[in-house]
Amino acid sequence: MIATRPGAATPARFYASTTATFDGDLDLIAIEHAMNGETVQLTRSERIEAARQLDARGIHAAEIARRVGVTRNSVTAWRDSGWAIPVETAEPDPIDIGNATHGRSGYSKGCRCRTCRDGANAASKAAKARKRAAA
């Protein structure tokens, strides 16, 4: 919340929209809260949209960054890219590893499938836990 001194004028409130609450995947109410410096969890697209709207209202990059919860460099990079919302990348297709069997850790070298990666991560965490317990 933005505090004001007693007797000082209340800061002007920014509105993302006067009628709509959603625009596709964007939650305009959450964006409005962020634009006014209130704590709210935003997706990356919502952060970019809030920053774009604040920039259109003439707010400086440092103030936009503070309100949206990112660095000033992020705001500048978004502005330089034309406020383009990045496309989410899909999970890479698994590599065909033929008849190779998965190892003890659930990982076969070169395989990028979710099962192999999760198994390798679990084995690594378990080994670190055993090492900490032994120490």
Side-chain angles (χ1 to χ4, degrees):
M1 181 185 295
I2 300 174
T4 57
R5 294 183 318 274
T10 306
R13 185 158 179 87
F14 295 113
Y15 296 97
S17 171
T18 57
T19 56
T21 58
F22 277 92
D23 182 16
D25 291 337
L26 301 176
D27 180 358
L28 296 177
I29 294 173
I31 290 172
E32 178 182 316
H33 286 291
M35 288 172 59
N36 289 292
E38 299 168 17
T39 304
V40 64
Q41 288 190 0
L42 299 173
T43 64
R44 186 171 186 192
S45 324
E46 291 168 344
R47 287 183 194 280
I48 294 171
E49 178 62 18
R52 184 192 67 77
Q53 289 193 23
L54 287 169
D55 184 65
R57 288 171 170 86
I59 307 296
H60 294 287
E63 178 64 14
I64 293 172
R66 187 191 66 76
R67 289 180 185 221
V68 177
V70 296
T71 64
R72 185 174 49 88
N73 292 338
S74 294
V75 174
T76 305
W78 293 339
R79 182 188 302 134
D80 292 345
S81 69
W83 304 105
I85 296 174
V87 178
E88 299 293 327
T89 57
E91 180 78 18
D93 293 330
I95 298 172
D96 179 16
I97 57 174
N99 292 331
T101 58
H102 295 282
R104 249 185 14 186
S105 67
Y107 174 76
S108 270
K109 186 172 183 175
C111 184
R112 296 183 303 210
C113 74
R114 173 69 64 194
T115 305
C116 288
R117 287 186 306 182
D118 288 348
N121 289 339
S124 173
K125 287 178 183 177
K128 287 179 184 177
R130 282 193 304 271
K131 193 179 269 188
R132 271 182 273 157

